[in-house]
Amino acid sequence: MRRARRNDLGGLGEDRWRNPNIGRLLLDCLVKCRALIVTRRFEAVARVQPLSEIRRVCRMPELADTGRRIKELRVGAGMTQHDLAGSDMSSSYISLVERGKRIPSGRALKILAERLGVGVDEISGAVEPAETFGRVRRLDLVGRLVAARRQWDGGDAEGALSEFRALAEMEPSGRQDDVFTEAQLAIAEILGTLGRADEGAEVLLRMLDSPAPAPYAEPRLRALIALADLLESAGRVQDGLRYALTGYLECAGQRPDTGFHSVLVLDVLTRCAYWSGCPDWAPGTDHGRPPADGVLPGPRAAIDLHRALDLRDRGETERAAALLEECARRVTPAAGFPLWEKINGHYALLLLRGGETAQARSIVERGLVVASVAQEPDFPLWLTTADAVGAEAAGDTDRLFALGERLAGLPDTGRSHEKAAALREIAAACERVGDRERAAGHFRYSAELFRRAQAYRHAERARERLADLLEKRD
């Protein structure tokens, strides 16, 4: 029996087993078979079935198939490779896995499956034949989800909104829970970008009202994060703070294996806490922070930005400048132009406070060139603010006044607290050049915008500056 099986494996006779090259030949054979363990199931088909059938019986999928599934699920979830990697993997490792160049371990597959919101079998392809129809149905829904996302990225927000709603309104018996979750989150996000934040909030509140599985309700946590972010971006920072704090406490209580959602909820909590005037509510942890020589991902950079702004408000200008300098060095426009622009604009403003006008001017000019070349739709609010303050430092009051009027003429929708903070910088610059009337107008407008955005402590500071200015003028 042993000799017969040897002959079947490549036609090698008994005398050939003494060949000195047989070791290399066997090693090549094992590599090509990807080190399949010869079990009884393997023996039953090894002599008569092709390698594809062996893989089917032993449920050993192609590496390329596993990597392709991971990539499809990641793209469908709107995640980057860095997002999927989290704090315990690298984006280069994810790239190698998706290209079939690395075999993820069992633990790695489990972690990736949890972050993608699917089972391990969904990634590895170890699905029984009876599940084939369900898999085909799921792939169809995921394909529609990805197509709708691409439609949205292509600028057709209304068309994408219609498709996402069709996915979300499917009968419960025919829908996939994760696809349903992704569709609802996308609906809320699109409504927020269209200026219909109240409608988006209603979608997310319905998600929160529905029962969630225990012990770690990821859809509920994602809905809390999305709702807090939506409310903050709509200029309702204290409403957003309530949901961000709820999400943070639930996330901390459940201790999920991945730190990805922990960083996201900490990002939105830090933002809402800062603009609500209570930055101490956001814990000062470096959980999920990449090494000092790596690229700083968007959520981590946003956390550091608002911590730096709090340090600046407390008078710790040097620490704030050092933190913003690190952010500006490690964040690229790929993290999102609005965030990159905001970090560089605030860093330039701090440099101007310290008298380093040449470096600040260089940052502003480079940033405005990037905005022009990339044809970004978002107005470079903070680079323009730094440009105006730089004009004041250079003695160009006409440019300062012109840019100040341009900022004041921007729509009040969206993050009106950001506009209010920019106008406060312009008002202070106008006061320094002696135009107290113009400065008073900007301070007054800034205080009103802060009040609308529920940023009451910032509104109070703007009113105090206004009162001091009026007292000096009288």
Side-chain angles (χ1 to χ4, degrees):
M1 177 65 70
R2 180 183 298 274
R3 181 175 300 176
R5 289 184 180 174
R6 286 177 179 173
N7 289 336
D8 287 338
L9 287 174
L12 297 173
E14 180 65 26
D15 56 339
R16 297 191 184 184
W17 282 95
R18 298 185 179 89
N19 191 321
N21 295 324
I22 194 64
R24 180 176 56 81
L25 293 174
L26 286 176
L27 180 60
D28 291 343
C29 179
L30 289 173
V31 170
K32 292 179 181 178
C33 292
R34 299 211 177 100
L36 290 175
I37 300 174
V38 182
T39 61
R40 291 181 179 179
R41 300 181 71 185
F42 179 78
E43 291 177 349
V45 296
R47 291 173 294 170
V48 296
Q49 299 292 344
L51 188 58
S52 60
E53 182 64 17
I54 295 173
R55 288 197 181 95
R56 187 191 69 78
V57 174
C58 296
R59 289 196 290 233
M60 297 291 289
E62 288 277 6
L63 287 178
D65 292 341
T66 300
R68 186 178 67 252
R69 292 188 191 96
I70 291 175
K71 183 175 182 180
E72 288 174 351
L73 293 169
R74 175 181 64 78
V75 173
M79 299 171 67
T80 65
Q81 290 180 342
H82 191 91
D83 294 337
L84 182 58
S87 59
D88 43 10
M89 300 182 193
S90 66
S91 55
S92 59
Y93 174 75
I94 299 298
S95 175
L96 291 172
V97 169
E98 290 183 350
R99 288 184 287 134
K101 303 297 184 181
R102 288 291 184 274
I103 305 175
S105 65
R107 179 177 176 273
L109 277 177
K110 182 179 178 181
I111 292 174
L112 293 175
E114 289 177 352
R115 292 177 183 171
L116 292 169
V118 299
V120 174
D121 289 348
E122 197 68 36
I123 293 179
S124 64
V127 182
E128 295 297 332
E131 299 175 352
T132 301
F133 177 76
R135 288 189 59 204
V136 171
R137 175 63 174 166
R138 172 177 171 75
L139 288 175
D140 173 61
L141 294 176
V142 171
R144 289 175 60 187
L145 193 71
V146 173
R149 173 72 64 169
R150 289 176 177 170
Q151 191 174 7
W152 180 18
D153 293 338
D156 186 6
E158 291 291 349
L161 182 61
S162 176
E163 180 61 24
F164 282 126
R165 279 178 166 160
L167 288 169
E169 292 170 0
M170 291 182 61
E171 292 295 329
S173 59
R175 74 188 185 199
Q176 299 281 335
D177 286 343
D178 54 344
V179 174
F180 177 66
T181 298
E182 296 296 337
Q184 290 188 103
L185 292 172
I187 290 170
E189 188 176 354
I190 292 176
L191 290 172
T193 60
L194 295 176
R196 297 154 62 183
D198 290 340
E199 295 180 49
E202 289 178 4
V203 172
L204 296 171
L205 287 171
R206 285 196 297 270
M207 288 183 65
L208 295 176
D209 290 338
S210 61
Y216 173 48
E218 181 181 341
R220 172 178 169 81
L221 179 57
R222 293 183 64 190
L224 285 168
I225 295 172
L227 182 56
D229 183 72
L230 177 65
L231 293 172
E232 186 270 334
S233 64
R236 295 165 57 183
V237 296
Q238 291 201 358
D239 292 339
L241 177 61
R242 181 169 72 253
Y243 292 104
L245 190 58
T246 302
Y248 177 78
L249 294 175
E250 291 192 9
C251 187
Q254 297 298 341
R255 301 286 183 189
D257 292 336
T258 173
F260 176 64
H261 293 105
S262 300
V263 175
L264 286 182
V265 75
L266 184 58
D267 168 23
V268 69
L269 175 59
T270 304
R271 278 187 279 132
C272 292
Y274 172 76
W275 290 113
S276 296
C278 44
D280 293 336
W281 287 25
T285 174
D286 282 338
H287 174 69
R289 187 180 184 85
D293 57 348
V295 174
L296 204 61
R300 185 72 252 182
I303 293 170
D304 288 351
L305 166 64
H306 290 88
R307 286 179 180 168
L309 296 181
D310 179 47
L311 290 172
R312 180 203 62 187
D313 295 345
R314 296 173 187 266
E316 301 181 45
T317 309
E318 292 184 0
R319 289 182 60 193
L323 189 54
L324 278 177
E325 180 183 11
E326 182 187 7
C327 286
R329 177 174 58 85
R330 297 176 60 186
V331 174
T332 66
F337 178 78
L339 176 62
W340 180 83
E341 182 270 339
K342 192 182 302 183
I343 290 172
N344 280 272
H346 278 294
Y347 182 42
L349 286 169
L350 273 181
L351 290 174
L352 289 168
R353 285 191 181 191
E356 301 180 48
T357 56
Q359 186 179 355
R361 188 65 197 167
S362 174
I363 292 173
V364 170
E365 289 178 350
R366 182 190 63 180
L368 293 176
V369 167
V370 170
S372 176
V373 171
Q375 296 182 345
E376 288 291 339
D378 298 301
F379 180 78
L381 177 68
W382 287 104
L383 286 172
T384 303
T385 304
D387 190 13
V389 177
E392 174 252 326
D396 190 353
T397 57
D398 291 339
R399 182 169 179 77
L400 165 63
F401 297 154
L403 290 175
E405 293 302 322
R406 186 179 180 188
L407 289 175
L410 293 175
D412 296 341
T413 56
R415 289 187 167 95
S416 54
H417 45 288
E418 295 275 1
K419 177 182 174 180
L423 286 175
R424 187 172 56 189
E425 295 284 348
I426 298 294
C430 291
E431 182 182 5
R432 287 192 294 268
V433 299
D435 194 335
R436 294 180 178 175
E437 192 68 32
R438 196 183 299 268
H442 288 314
F443 275 130
R444 188 177 292 109
Y445 190 14
S446 173
E448 175 61 21
L449 288 178
F450 276 133
R451 185 194 64 78
R452 295 182 198 171
Q454 303 175 342
Y456 299 118
R457 292 192 181 180
H458 290 275
E460 183 179 354
R461 292 169 190 165
R463 284 194 294 267
E464 289 174 355
R465 294 290 300 272
L466 175 61
D468 291 342
L469 182 62
L470 295 177
E471 184 177 348
K472 291 178 182 177
R473 187 181 65 179
D474 295 340

